[in-house]
Amino acid sequence: WSYLDQIPYDVLLQNADLAAQCFLFNMGTLNIKNCRTLFEGFKQHYGNSDVFSVLRFAEGYISRNDGILPEYDLLTARQISALPFGPVVKAMVLVENAIALVENMQYEEAESCIKDALSIGSNINIFVDFFAYNELAQIYEETGRLNDSLLCYQQSRTLLKTSSLMSWYGTNYYFGLVGVYMRQMQLDKADELLVNIRCLLDAQRSRINITDMTLAYHEAEMEFLRGEDAAGAELVEAM
């Protein structure tokens, strides 16, 4: 994926599939400047079509919106099938679909979407596998299958260690895992992970509002779980 960044973007945008992959790479490495350039170029080339909807989820991450979470468009199987993308991007579209389904509490459909994504994109691209397992872990957490969720995070952890490029995705993994530990009331483990997250964010070249907001949210939640309501309320007010 890193080679795609060496192609002039006006040339790259003529191929929606490669441009979308380049965008996903830059999202992963938190190169927000490149993301904004590609996002605007994609918007001009593909308007409000289904092709553009693949990138719309990222608007909440790359715009200055005070930490408001992004919205994910839900596409039908027919719409996904008609997209001019190869297996890597189609698998990522299915992951995005699963996120939208979870927001609507359609958990069985979301799980099916992730399994389809793993079937299409598995072993083709490490990034796809990582996000698919992370989202599957989220689905299992939401439905109370905490042991299954932890097994998915084991898969994510293995993928994180596979490539130096994956180090940028550590916060995504840790934020998910800390949620499971909180539900299990394993607060010492959760607290240790929050320290790791803060160190990882401080070490990164780029910071985005949503990751900072997510950290603050988890730290407030930890205070409430410990019974420190005043400290938790103070963190919420700061948010």
Side-chain angles (χ1 to χ4, degrees), residues 1-4 17-18 20-26 28 86-93 95 114 117-134 155-156 158-160 162-163 165-166 169:
W1 269 5
S2 59
Y3 288 114
L4 292 174
D17 183 50
L18 292 180
Q21 291 190 57
C22 186
F23 181 85
L24 292 170
F25 167 73
N26 278 284
V88 170
V89 178
K90 281 192 175 180
M92 286 301 293
V93 172
V95 173
I114 291 295
L118 286 168
S119 175
I120 293 171
S122 185
N123 298 321
I124 296 176
N125 188 294
I126 188 173
F127 299 91
V128 172
D129 289 351
F130 176 78
F131 281 111
Y133 278 116
N134 264 25
Q155 296 275 13
S156 297
T158 300
L159 292 165
L160 269 178
T162 304
S163 166
L165 285 174
M166 293 300 292
Y169 296 89

Side-chain angles (χ1 to χ4, degrees), residues 121-185:
S122 185
N123 298 321
I124 296 176
N125 188 294
I126 188 173
F127 299 91
V128 172
D129 289 351
F130 176 78
F131 281 111
Y133 278 116
N134 264 25
E135 186 55 31
L136 188 57
Q138 290 283 316
I139 293 165
Y140 289 152
E141 180 190 341
E142 289 282 327
T143 53
R145 296 168 60 180
L146 300 184
N147 289 332
D148 288 334
S149 182
L150 289 174
L151 288 173
C152 288
Y153 282 125
Q154 283 182 18
Q155 296 275 13
S156 297
R157 184 174 178 81
T158 300
L159 292 165
L160 269 178
K161 293 178 177 179
T162 304
S163 166
S164 60
L165 285 174
M166 293 300 292
S167 63
W168 292 97
Y169 296 89
T171 51
N172 192 291
Y173 161 77
Y174 287 126
F175 277 136
L177 187 58
V178 77
V180 180
Y181 285 148
M182 285 180 175
R183 286 180 189 258
Q184 293 180 325
M185 289 301 290

Side-chain angles (χ1 to χ4, degrees), residues 34-230:
N34 286 2
C35 284
R36 290 194 183 109
T37 301
L38 280 163
F39 186 88
E40 291 304 319
F42 224 89
K43 191 173 185 178
Q44 290 175 14
H45 273 71
Y46 302 105
N48 292 317
S49 67
D50 289 344
V51 175
F52 178 57
S53 70
V54 174
L55 268 62
R56 280 189 60 196
F57 82 94
E59 193 164 11
Y61 294 101
I62 64 176
S63 61
R64 295 174 179 83
N65 60 356
D66 297 324
I68 297 171
L69 290 173
E71 293 183 2
Y72 293 83
D73 292 321
L74 186 61
L75 298 180
T76 66
R78 179 177 292 180
Q79 284 175 300
I80 294 172
S81 177
L83 290 170
F85 296 129
V88 170
V89 178
K90 281 192 175 180
M92 286 301 293
V93 172
L94 286 164
V95 173
E96 292 171 25
N97 244 27
I99 295 170
L101 287 163
V102 167
E103 288 175 358
N104 293 325
M105 294 185 287
Q106 295 174 255
Y107 298 115
E108 288 184 12
E109 294 89 339
E111 183 179 358
S112 177
C113 252
I114 291 295
K115 289 181 175 176
D116 285 345
L118 286 168
S119 175
I120 293 171
S122 185
N123 298 321
I124 296 176
N125 188 294
I126 188 173
F127 299 91
V128 172
D129 289 351
F130 176 78
F131 281 111
Y133 278 116
N134 264 25
E135 186 55 31
L136 188 57
Q138 290 283 316
I139 293 165
Y140 289 152
E141 180 190 341
E142 289 282 327
T143 53
R145 296 168 60 180
L146 300 184
N147 289 332
D148 288 334
S149 182
L150 289 174
L151 288 173
C152 288
Y153 282 125
Q154 283 182 18
Q155 296 275 13
S156 297
R157 184 174 178 81
T158 300
L159 292 165
L160 269 178
K161 293 178 177 179
T162 304
S163 166
S164 60
L165 285 174
M166 293 300 292
S167 63
W168 292 97
Y169 296 89
T171 51
N172 192 291
Y173 161 77
Y174 287 126
F175 277 136
L177 187 58
V178 77
V180 180
Y181 285 148
M182 285 180 175
R183 286 180 189 258
Q184 293 180 325
M185 289 301 290
Q186 296 194 61
L187 300 187
D188 288 343
K189 284 187 175 181
D191 199 43
E192 184 180 335
L193 284 177
L194 286 175
V195 171
N196 288 345
I197 292 169
R198 184 167 284 284
C199 290
L200 192 57
L201 288 176
D202 288 342
Q204 288 179 344
R205 294 191 302 271
S206 302
R207 297 288 287 266
I208 54 178
N209 288 344
I210 286 177
T211 53
D212 288 337
M213 184 72 79
T214 305
L215 176 60
Y217 179 90
H218 281 84
E219 288 177 337
E221 191 173 10
M222 276 292 290
E223 295 293 354
F224 289 125
L225 290 173
R226 290 193 189 101
E228 301 292 340
D229 292 351

